[in-house]
Amino acid sequence: MVIPLEHVIGLSAILFAIGTIGALTRRNLVVILMSIELMLNAVNLSFVAFARAWGDTLGHVFVLMVITVAAAEVAVGLGIVISLFRNRDSVNVEDVSLLRW
Amino acid sequence: MVTDSDWLRWIPLLPLASAAASGILLGLFRRPLGRGATVVLSCGSVLVSFLLSLLALWHLIALPVGKRLLVDRVAPWIGAGSFSAEISLALDPVSAIMILLVSGVGFLIHVYSIGYMDDDHREDKGFQRFFCYLNLFTFSMLTLVLADNLLLMFLGWEGVGLCSYLLIGFWFSDRWNAYCGAKAFIVNRIGDFGFLIGIFLLFTAIAGVLPAERANEAVVFRGIEAAFPLIAEKTVQLPHWLGFLPGAPEWKLATLIGLCFFVGAAGKSAQIPLYVWLPDAMAGPTPVSALIHAATMVTAGVYMVCRLSFLYDAAPGASAVIAWTGGITALLAATIALVQTDIKKVLAYSTVSQLGYMFLAAGCGGYTAAMFHLLTHGFFKALLFLGAGAVILALHHEQNIDKMGGLTRYIPWWRPTHLCFLVGVLAIVGTPPLSGFFSKDEVLLAAWTAERVPGHTWLWAMGVATAGLTAFYMFRLHFRVFFGESRIAASLRGHIQEATSTVTLPLVVLAVLATVAGFAGLPQVYGDMLGISSSNSLANFQAPVLAGASAHEVSHATELRLALVAVGFALAGALTACLLYLWRPGLPERLAASLSGPYRLLVDRYRVDELYDRAIVRPLVSFSESVLYRGIDAGLIDGVAVMGTARTVQRLAAQGLKYAQSGLTQSYLVLMLAGATLVVGYLLG
Amino acid sequence: MSFAAAVFYVLALLAVVSALGMVLNVRNTIAGAMSLVVTMIALAGIYVVLDAHLVAVLQIMVYAGAILVLFLFVVMLLNLRSDEFSPSRSRLVKLAGVALGVWALGSFLALLPGALPKVVEIPADFGSYRQVGLSLYRTYDVAFEVTSFILLAAIVGAVVLAKRRLS
């Protein structure tokens, strides 16, 4: 492996952190979903790095699963966003807080 | 030493099966059995029990004298750590006589009840329920008598208490009856507490001297009797605040145990101060009064004392207490009976008085005399109660003797209703040669010869006085009911009719028994007169089992003299009754008016019930209501514990937790991330 | 430093910068989406450096080519222009949050070198479609079948959610 493993994992951590910040601070639902995608990608990077470190293709298989699930999640999530927009004319996450005390 | 048997268990189990069958059918499935089936089932089971008891007696007699013991180990029962107890039944001479009494008289009363309960004027005749309870009672009593260990005896003890409650309050839709049933049960319970303490003390003492692997024998009667000599002389130190008691500060352990057991006996057998339930128990149907409160349940106390005769032999203090309590109760109850106007109440106080005789004998060491009187009393008291029931039926449920009189004009004197009642009266009064004469004389003789009991001659005198009073009030009852001018309500006079044969036949059988039963325990002095060598077969049969049973230490001449004194007093009482109620009928009212103070005291039964009510019942009830109910139950448990926790949780949630549900997605995300981080941190660290 | 390592560090920098660009960009949502595409492609490059060839290709085909295109569709459909950051509840809380995050990340990265396993030798065709395919269809075939269900659920869900009411 040409790069030390720590550097790759470190990159994964930084990308995950950026994604978290985006999910927690942005108000646009679509941007939040995109941040979640970024988090998933960071995790994929981790998997690939460890697969390379141990020589086990399980990591790659898992990445395929993650991509599949991410795709499914994005499809349904964006469907929800569209329905929401149709009903409320807004994709602001603070406008969808009815389920509260 | 012991002969095993495996059919002894059916003697109590058959009535139990019958009770269970009719009870479950009626209670659970709500299907009444129908009159005929109920009768066959319940009376049949008791009859078979009686026949088995006869068989058991025959087997017992066939065994050699020292080895008359049949044991049936039915099943293991309690197993707790190293302690274990079995359900096991034992038959020895004393219990053989008892089970014959219980099942025999029980059967007669079952037959009597067929006719009596049919006449019930209430809508719900409760026929099947009555027989179910009667069978349950029979089972409990037989278990009590046959029990081989103290725990099983206590089970039977409690069982008869329960059935007494059920049967006294049988017509419970009338609140008074329910109250009387509850009163009987509660007063019994007070006695049971003493019984339990006695069991614990005895067990601890005996188990303390037995080697560890045999410690469980400390609850079995044979084991206790065998090991008892080891603790017979042990003493206990009383605490100083009990220093006023005689014999303080050191008491014999046996005395303490004996007194505790006697508290139980006093409760069950209606002695002072726990007798107050028996007169009120007359609220139940008359067959119940006959069975439970004359022949069987109330005798359980006497039986228990006789069972533990080896204990009381070593406890002179306790025996003295028993004898004096018995004597005083006998006299007191007899005085109350002098002026009562309810036919059943007279008989109830008479029962209390006769039970006092039995305890008098037992306390003076005459255990065989006590058992003899128990047997004969069972016959003639049951006869009297059933006879009273026949009178009540004939007069359509009139119980006040002031509204009876001259009954022989409507039911001829030679019919069972009058004749059998007369036999009962003669027996209880002690007319030779009926059974009551012999048994009462044995009791009085025991009192006369009891050197161990201080003041025993006074006890004898009290016994003789009681005999006189008994004669008076019994003949008073007889004359007021059957003779003299008729005070029966005019509307009833055309409809007076003797009851059916199911009612009168048991009366005849009991009358015969009351007449001849005395010859089973014929004292030797009369046996010699008749040329029988060993005439007191009852005492001889029971002697190996009961302690202190021996030949009388008095000469035959003294015995006859004592008997004569007793008969003399009885005759005096009878003649006084004749005077007051037959020849000078106006005299009683004039006497009552001139002695109105004492008269009112007697009519009010010494106001003992009112005393208990004021001193014990009312303070207890008000304490329970204000402190225990309002304070602790409603206030503390309901208010603080239950509602308080609910309100606290509600406040916590409504004013604290709900703000976590803000509805903002990103807040939730933050919380999720924080939680995930903590979990991962914990797993990694 | 070898060529592959240099490529890695360049691509890593690119990925981080575009990610920041997506998250911090408020004025133009489409620009943000495009930034994310750049991040995906950079990551695909990194996968190649790490000998995960099939995964790299699939990353571009599926992630960059389908999922992010879907995002762009939706953004354009809903005509989403600009956005704002959440109003600051409290400066102190934000500052505390940032500090906490920096500290957490920093300590994680500091602890990292001691915790990782040893790297092993890999066979020549590691990460190729053949190896991954054999692994996927032989050892992990059940998982593979299950993903079909996931996709079915997603399809049905998306159709149901986006349907217009027949009113």
Side-chain angles (χ1 to χ4, degrees):
Chain A
M1 196 151 150
V2 294
I3 315 112
L5 190 56
E6 298 87 44
H7 292 196
V8 186
I9 303 302
L11 172 64
S12 166
I14 293 170
L15 284 175
F16 189 86
I18 296 171
T20 310
I21 294 171
L24 294 181
T25 41
R26 299 294 298 264
R27 293 206 297 179
N28 193 327
L29 260 176
V30 179
V31 176
I32 292 178
L33 281 172
M34 289 202 285
S35 308
I36 292 174
E37 291 306 310
L38 182 57
M39 285 199 268
L40 286 169
N41 269 287
V43 169
N44 281 349
L45 179 60
S46 267
F47 271 116
V48 167
F50 281 119
R52 171 66 182 82
W54 282 315
D56 190 355
T57 45
L58 172 59
H60 298 248
V61 171
F62 215 96
V63 167
L64 290 179
M65 301 298 135
V66 172
I67 293 177
T68 312
V69 170
E73 165 227 329
V74 163
V76 175
L78 288 176
I80 293 175
V81 166
I82 291 175
S83 309
L84 212 53
F85 186 78
R86 279 204 200 121
N87 278 306
R88 285 167 193 280
D89 221 20
S90 151
V91 286
N92 192 337
V93 77
E94 282 169 6
D95 290 340
V96 293
S97 61
L98 279 182
L99 205 62
R100 59 181 286 167
W101 60 267
Chain B
M1 271 300 281
V2 186
T3 315
D4 283 316
S5 118
D6 60 359
W7 47 267
L8 211 54
R9 67 193 69 169
W10 293 112
I11 297 179
L13 279 183
L14 281 173
L16 177 66
S18 153
S22 56
I24 291 176
L25 272 173
L26 194 61
L28 212 58
F29 300 117
R30 307 244 171 234
R31 299 233 280 85
L33 264 180
R35 199 171 162 281
T38 311
V39 163
V40 167
L41 187 64
S42 52
C43 296
S45 61
V46 180
L47 181 63
V48 176
S49 267
F50 175 67
L51 295 173
L52 284 176
S53 310
L54 278 176
L55 187 64
L57 179 67
W58 188 65
H59 270 250
L60 206 63
I61 293 179
L63 293 169
V65 171
K67 305 217 180 113
R68 286 191 177 142
L69 186 63
L70 287 177
V71 173
D72 184 356
R73 299 176 64 168
V74 182
W77 182 24
I78 300 176
S82 57
F83 176 72
S84 71
E86 285 189 336
I87 302 182
S88 84
L89 306 175
L91 189 74
D92 67 3
V94 178
S95 43
I97 303 295
M98 281 293 288
I99 58 172
L100 280 173
L101 178 69
V102 171
S103 54
V105 174
F107 173 65
L108 289 172
I109 293 179
H110 273 72
V111 172
Y112 180 92
S113 306
I114 303 172
Y116 193 85
M117 293 311 282
D118 239 1
D119 192 75
D120 192 340
H121 52 282
R122 293 164 176 77
E123 318 80 50
D124 159 36
K125 290 199 180 170
F127 201 74
Q128 187 172 340
R129 186 164 62 102
F130 188 75
F131 279 98
C132 170
Y133 290 163
L134 271 187
N135 276 105
L136 193 65
F137 171 83
T138 313
F139 156 71
S140 301
M141 189 70 201
L142 287 168
T143 308
L144 192 160
V145 172
L146 285 173
D148 191 25
N149 59 51
L150 277 169
L151 292 176
L152 193 62
M153 182 190 229
F154 189 66
L155 182 91
W157 190 271
E158 292 292 304
V160 294
L162 170 71
C163 294
S164 166
Y165 163 75
L166 290 172
L167 284 164
I168 294 173
F170 186 70
W171 292 311
F172 53 81
S173 43
D174 184 351
R175 298 275 319 249
W176 175 252
N177 298 338
Y179 168 76
C180 292
K183 181 175 182 179
F185 191 72
I186 293 172
V187 176
N188 257 211
R189 276 317 245 159
I190 298 173
D192 294 346
F193 179 65
F195 194 149
L196 270 178
I197 302 289
I199 294 181
F200 297 152
L201 284 173
L202 191 58
F203 178 74
T204 320
I206 299 273
V209 295
L210 285 176
E213 65 278 0
R214 283 175 46 210
N216 287 327
E217 285 175 31
V219 83
V220 178
F221 283 119
R222 280 168 283 131
I224 298 174
E225 192 166 355
F228 188 72
L230 296 170
I231 62 161
E233 295 305 320
K234 254 186 157 179
T235 57
V236 288
Q237 289 296 110
L238 292 178
H240 342 273
W241 49 274
L242 285 177
F244 59 89
L245 291 172
E250 208 175 76
W251 262 15
K252 281 186 83 171
L253 179 64
T255 305
L256 188 63
I257 297 178
L259 282 176
C260 288
F261 276 115
F262 180 59
V263 172
K268 191 65 79 183
S269 299
Q271 297 298 294
I272 290 175
L274 296 170
Y275 70 91
V276 289
W277 63 271
L278 190 56
D280 281 329
M282 298 299 118
T286 311
V288 169
S289 307
L291 181 62
I292 297 185
H293 308 124
T296 47
M297 177 175 120
V298 293
T299 56
V302 182
Y303 172 71
M304 187 256 277
V305 169
C306 289
R307 252 272 161 268
L308 297 171
S309 56
F310 59 87
L311 179 94
Y312 287 105
D313 228 27
S319 296
V321 169
I322 294 180
W324 274 94
T325 310
I328 297 177
T329 308
L331 193 57
L332 208 74
T335 56
I336 300 180
L338 293 175
V339 298
Q340 295 302 311
T341 51
D342 182 326
I343 193 176
K344 286 174 71 173
K345 285 253 165 59
V346 175
L347 293 175
Y349 281 105
S350 167
T351 305
V352 176
S353 175
Q354 297 298 309
L355 286 167
Y357 263 124
M358 293 179 220
F359 280 107
L360 174 60
C364 291
Y367 303 103
T368 41
M371 289 303 294
F372 187 24
H373 197 57
L374 190 157
L375 186 68
T376 60
H377 174 263
F379 293 142
F380 56 67
K381 195 42 76 57
L383 171 62
L384 283 169
F385 267 110
L386 293 185
V391 168
I392 294 172
L393 275 183
L395 292 175
H396 299 286
H397 295 276
E398 177 57 65
Q399 289 187 225
N400 191 341
I401 58 175
D402 285 342
K403 299 212 183 72
M404 300 181 194
L407 199 57
T408 42
R409 261 170 251 153
Y410 302 94
I411 302 178
W413 68 269
W414 44 267
R415 295 231 60 126
T417 307
H418 170 259
L419 205 57
C420 299
F421 199 86
L422 182 62
V423 171
V425 170
L426 289 173
I428 194 175
V429 159
T431 317
L434 272 64
S435 55
F437 167 68
F438 298 115
S439 63
K440 211 176 265 209
D441 269 354
E442 288 290 290
V443 169
L444 290 172
L445 193 64
W448 179 260
T449 60
E451 306 296 332
R452 266 188 356 162
V453 178
H456 65 100
T457 345
W458 284 105
L459 277 177
W460 174 84
M462 281 161 72
V464 173
T466 309
L469 291 174
T470 307
F472 176 75
Y473 68 68
M474 282 314 297
F475 274 107
R476 164 181 178 263
L477 187 68
H478 194 74
F479 294 147
R480 289 288 276 175
V481 172
F482 289 104
F483 294 104
E485 63 170 282
S486 178
R487 298 172 302 279
I488 303 176
S491 53
L492 285 177
R493 292 193 199 190
H495 314 291
I496 299 177
Q497 201 188 347
E498 192 178 34
T500 65
S501 59
T502 51
V503 168
T504 53
L505 212 54
L507 285 177
V508 173
V509 175
L510 281 171
V512 170
L513 283 170
T515 312
V516 304
F519 292 98
L522 193 62
Q524 198 51 48
V525 53
Y526 307 107
D528 287 340
M529 285 195 246
L530 295 173
I532 309 174
S533 63
S534 174
S535 65
N536 198 342
S537 23
L538 197 66
N540 295 337
F541 185 51
Q542 293 182 329
V545 180
L546 295 174
S550 58
H552 299 157
E553 305 98 44
V554 290
S555 66
H556 285 335
T558 321
E559 216 177 312
L560 282 174
R561 250 178 259 141
L562 292 174
L564 220 57
V565 173
V567 172
F569 266 81
L571 200 60
L575 285 173
T576 321
C578 282
L579 180 69
L580 286 181
Y581 295 101
L582 273 188
W583 302 323
R584 301 262 188 284
L587 203 45
E589 277 112 46
R590 296 217 305 272
L591 275 175
S594 58
L595 294 170
S596 67
Y599 179 72
R600 277 252 65 91
L601 191 65
L602 287 181
V603 169
D604 289 340
R605 302 153 320 186
Y606 297 107
R607 305 201 188 108
V608 174
D609 280 299
E610 286 77 6
L611 175 69
Y612 283 175
D613 192 51
R614 283 275 176 75
I616 300 172
V617 175
R618 265 194 232 154
L620 206 60
V621 169
S622 79
F623 173 73
S624 299
E625 168 138 29
S626 55
V627 175
L628 294 178
Y629 169 59
R630 279 209 209 105
I632 296 180
D633 198 29
L636 194 67
I637 296 178
D638 253 357
V640 172
V642 174
M643 289 304 294
T645 46
R647 254 181 251 125
T648 312
V649 168
Q650 192 214 16
R651 238 179 278 139
L652 258 175
Q655 276 138 39
L657 287 175
K658 76 171 175 184
Y659 295 111
Q661 306 270 336
S662 60
L664 296 172
T665 318
Q666 287 167 328
S667 308
Y668 294 162
L669 257 175
V670 169
L671 287 171
M672 269 172 66
L673 275 168
T677 315
L678 282 170
V679 170
V680 170
Y682 171 75
L683 286 172
L684 290 177
Chain C
M1 192 184 305
S2 67
F3 178 63
V7 165
F8 170 78
Y9 287 115
V10 166
L11 287 175
L13 189 62
L14 184 60
V16 172
V17 167
S18 338
L20 282 171
M22 187 270 291
V23 168
L24 300 177
N25 189 332
V26 276
R27 277 172 304 157
N28 196 340
T29 319
I30 296 196
M34 297 311 291
S35 271
L36 193 58
V37 175
V38 173
T39 312
M40 302 291 172
I41 296 176
L43 278 177
I46 296 176
Y47 291 162
V48 171
V49 174
L50 289 174
D51 295 307
H53 307 292
L54 178 65
V55 175
V57 169
L58 282 174
Q59 165 94 346
I60 296 189
M61 274 167 52
V62 175
Y63 242 124
I67 294 176
L68 286 182
V69 169
L70 184 57
F71 268 112
L72 281 167
F73 280 171
V74 170
V75 168
M76 289 177 191
L77 182 67
L78 302 182
N79 218 358
L80 299 175
R81 293 283 167 68
S82 62
D83 187 24
E84 295 121 37
F85 274 109
S86 320
S88 62
R89 309 277 149 142
S90 130
R91 296 214 93 194
L92 201 57
V93 172
K94 272 174 52 175
L95 214 58
V98 169
L100 188 67
V102 168
W103 173 83
L105 192 58
S107 44
F108 173 68
L109 292 174
L111 289 171
L112 199 54
L116 289 175
K118 291 214 54 82
V119 180
V120 304
E121 279 300 310
I122 50 158
D125 62 346
F126 179 77
S128 68
Y129 65 90
R130 179 182 291 278
Q131 286 298 316
V132 179
L134 281 174
S135 201
L136 189 62
Y137 289 113
R138 281 196 190 162
T139 325
Y140 304 109
D141 52 342
V142 177
F144 176 69
E145 302 297 336
V146 169
T147 53
S148 64
F149 282 107
I150 298 175
L151 291 172
L152 178 66
I155 292 168
V156 171
V159 167
V160 165
L161 281 169
K163 227 164 44 160
R164 268 201 199 277
R165 273 181 167 237
L166 297 166
S167 51

